[in-house]
Amino acid sequence: MTERTTESHPVRVLARLDTPLSRWLWLVKWLLVLPHLLVLVLLWIAFVVLTVVAFVAILVTARYPRGLFDFNVGVLRWTWRVQYYAYSALGTDRYPPFTLADVPDYPARLEIDYPERLSRGLVLVKWLLALPHYLVVGLFAGGGMGVVWWPDQDGPTWTWGGLIGVLVLIAAVVLLFTGDYPKPVYNFVLGMDRWVVRVGAYVGLLTDRYPPFRLDMGGGEPGAELPDTPRPGAGSGGPGRPGGWTGGRVVSVIVGALVAFAALGLLAAGGVALWADRAERDADGYLTTASTLTTGSYALSTEPVRLDSGIGGWVGSGLGDVRVRVTPTEPGSSVFLGSVGDATRYLRGTGHAVVRDVTGERVVTEVVRPGGPPAPPESADIWLESSAGEGTRTVETTVADGDRVFVVVDQDREPGVSVRAEVGATVPALPWVAGVALASGAVLIGLAALLIGVAARRASG
């Protein structure tokens, strides 16, 4: 017989099954944990930001900053307590505390030994090395069980998630009718939960110890004590260490993380705007987008497009000149392109389609009125700009207050219009927009670093 090792893993997931458990409380725990879920959303945003900071610190110094380590362990610990109370175990009816710190007498605890040094090279490839574990975690945790309504389907679809959810549901039904939690199911669920948490800690850079392909079932672990007997110095993040993560410091990190995300959004937007200004303009200085528009009716029109000059002409000066081009998809065809404030009178009685939505090459048109051919468009004295003939037709306009409708008509006035449409604008304000976004992003990154750095320094004592 092989003797089981008693070596303690640096990531220790501990739990104690509370008895007796309420037969019915699990039916409403989804509602009871909502306050925790709202807080955890913010904490996990901070977790992601601090993990990126820790990645850089480990790469440079081979150390995980202790204050950041305690915070991220606290987020994992808080998450584990909520999961244990709710639908990853249903192992206790005691409501989880709102704290990052270790609570020694709570039935679910998480300890992670602080690593004095971490591998600089390993931090670059942990996400890749954990790929085999992702398959196992997907099998265990999955995406939950419930009803999903996909936009492209007519009705709801049942989706089955991980094995943890299925077994916890079975245990809940047994609990409802018998008042007892099946111990073999509990032990197996805890083993899977432990596997998932170990992988999360490894990918989160909190340890260099590769997660074992081993299902350590039950609430205890080799070489570790169950709740009620805390092990000091194991990533407590609480009163056991000087400083610690007080409520104000946690809020400071969360605010800093949110500011960091806003800064990254501004930097990304500024970078895209700068790239578009320098690399995406055509020879005439226009930024353009193109799609193919087709209808079997006699004419094709856009919905009214609002071209406002804005307050003090700011929007108008930002967009600059607007250009619309259409090219018949059939060589030799002649089309008419015109812009007008209101095309209702001209299109009355004419079979035509309206472009409702354009997303890249995906175009949604709707035939709004069956009818006969329109009057010759050149005979209508309503057009603000127009162009007619074979080949590419172009109209240009300067942004002004009011609506514009663009109309395309086959000059033969036969049913069926198919053109390649291109819409462009000069957008002279784009460099200014890019500069403001990049500068604002840089300022917010500095503010985020200040909020997170000061809180982490004080928490590390």
Side-chain angles (χ1 to χ4, degrees):
M1 179 181 294
T2 302
E3 183 179 352
R4 187 182 184 188
T5 179
T6 58
E7 181 185 359
S8 176
H9 193 277
V11 180
R12 294 177 294 280
V13 182
L14 307 172
R16 181 192 69 239
L17 180 62
D18 271 353
T19 55
L21 292 170
S22 169
R23 292 172 181 255
W24 60 267
L25 187 61
W26 64 272
L27 294 170
V28 296
K29 282 185 176 180
W30 64 271
L31 178 62
L32 299 177
V33 298
L34 283 179
H36 276 285
L37 297 181
L38 295 175
V39 176
L40 284 173
V41 167
L42 300 176
L43 289 175
W44 273 97
I45 291 174
F47 182 96
V48 171
V49 172
L50 295 189
T51 300
V52 173
V53 176
F55 171 87
V56 176
I58 295 169
L59 204 58
V60 175
T61 68
R63 293 176 63 88
Y64 200 124
R66 185 59 192 259
L68 305 189
F69 178 87
D70 286 344
F71 184 92
N72 280 355
V73 170
V75 175
L76 288 177
R77 179 182 293 118
W78 193 324
T79 304
W80 167 231
R81 285 193 295 247
V82 174
Q83 290 177 329
Y84 188 74
Y85 172 79
Y87 301 107
S88 287
L90 292 178
T92 182
D93 289 341
R94 179 177 168 186
Y95 198 69
F98 286 83
T99 178
L100 298 176
D102 185 27
V103 180
D105 63 343
Y106 193 77
R109 292 179 54 230
L110 173 64
E111 297 178 345
I112 302 180
D113 292 334
Y114 177 70
E116 294 299 332
R117 293 189 67 81
L118 292 167
S119 169
R120 290 188 176 94
L122 198 57
V123 75
L124 297 170
V125 295
K126 283 183 176 179
W127 64 272
L128 180 62
L129 298 177
L131 282 177
H133 278 288
Y134 297 156
L135 301 177
V136 180
V137 168
L139 174 65
F140 288 170
M145 181 185 65
V147 178
V148 175
W149 196 301
W150 298 104
D152 58 346
Q153 295 187 4
D154 296 331
T157 300
W158 280 97
T159 175
W160 290 82
L163 188 56
I164 293 174
V166 174
L167 290 181
V168 169
L169 177 61
I170 293 172
V173 173
V174 173
L175 177 65
L176 181 64
F177 287 99
T178 69
D180 292 324
Y181 196 124
K183 195 61 181 289
V185 174
Y186 172 81
N187 290 336
F188 190 40
V189 165
L190 260 292
M192 292 187 290
D193 283 332
R194 180 172 290 111
W195 194 312
V196 172
V197 175
R198 285 174 178 172
V199 174
Y202 180 77
V203 176
L205 312 181
L206 296 166
T207 180
D208 278 350
R209 177 82 70 87
Y210 194 72
F213 284 91
R214 185 179 70 234
L215 199 63
D216 291 329
M217 295 191 291
E221 289 206 30
E225 292 87 8
L226 290 173
D228 291 331
T229 53
R231 180 171 177 164
S236 67
R241 299 188 61 253
W245 283 100
T246 64
R249 292 165 189 166
V250 171
V251 170
S252 179
V253 169
I254 291 174
V255 172
L258 295 175
V259 171
F261 268 95
L264 292 176
L266 285 171
L267 292 173
V272 170
L274 190 61
W275 167 76
D277 180 66
R278 299 300 174 89
E280 290 298 298
R281 293 186 183 276
D282 63 16
D284 297 322
Y286 282 87
L287 294 170
T288 62
T289 182
S291 298
T292 300
L293 309 179
T294 304
T295 179
S297 55
Y298 287 94
L300 188 66
S301 74
T302 65
E303 293 186 292
V305 180
R306 172 67 62 175
L307 299 179
D308 291 331
S309 60
I311 300 175
W314 186 88
V315 175
S317 62
L319 290 177
D321 296 328
V322 176
R323 181 184 69 191
V324 178
R325 282 179 172 172
V326 296
T327 303
T329 57
E330 183 178 343
S333 297
S334 297
V335 295
F336 173 90
L337 170 65
S339 69
V340 63
D342 184 3
T344 303
R345 184 180 58 169
Y346 173 72
L347 294 175
R348 184 179 294 116
T350 297
H352 67 282
V354 176
V355 179
R356 297 297 189 192
D357 179 65
V358 178
T359 306
E361 288 296 324
R362 179 178 177 272
V363 179
V364 177
T365 60
E366 177 187 358
V367 177
V368 295
R369 186 189 304 274
E378 295 89 340
S379 65
D381 189 21
I382 61 173
W383 308 108
L384 301 175
E385 298 90 15
S386 65
S387 177
E390 293 185 5
T392 301
R393 300 291 95 197
T394 303
V395 297
E396 296 183 0
T397 183
T398 301
V399 175
D401 289 339
D403 292 340
R404 291 291 178 92
V405 176
F406 294 90
V407 180
V408 182
V409 181
D410 190 306
Q411 285 200 295
D412 295 332
R413 295 192 295 155
E414 296 289 336
V417 178
S418 179
V419 294
R420 183 68 176 173
E422 177 188 284
V423 180
T426 55
V427 198
L430 195 59
W432 180 83
V433 171
V436 170
L438 291 172
S440 301
V443 170
L444 290 182
I445 281 288
L447 176 60
L450 181 64
L451 290 170
I452 293 173
V454 171
R457 183 177 180 84
R458 291 180 177 176
S460 63

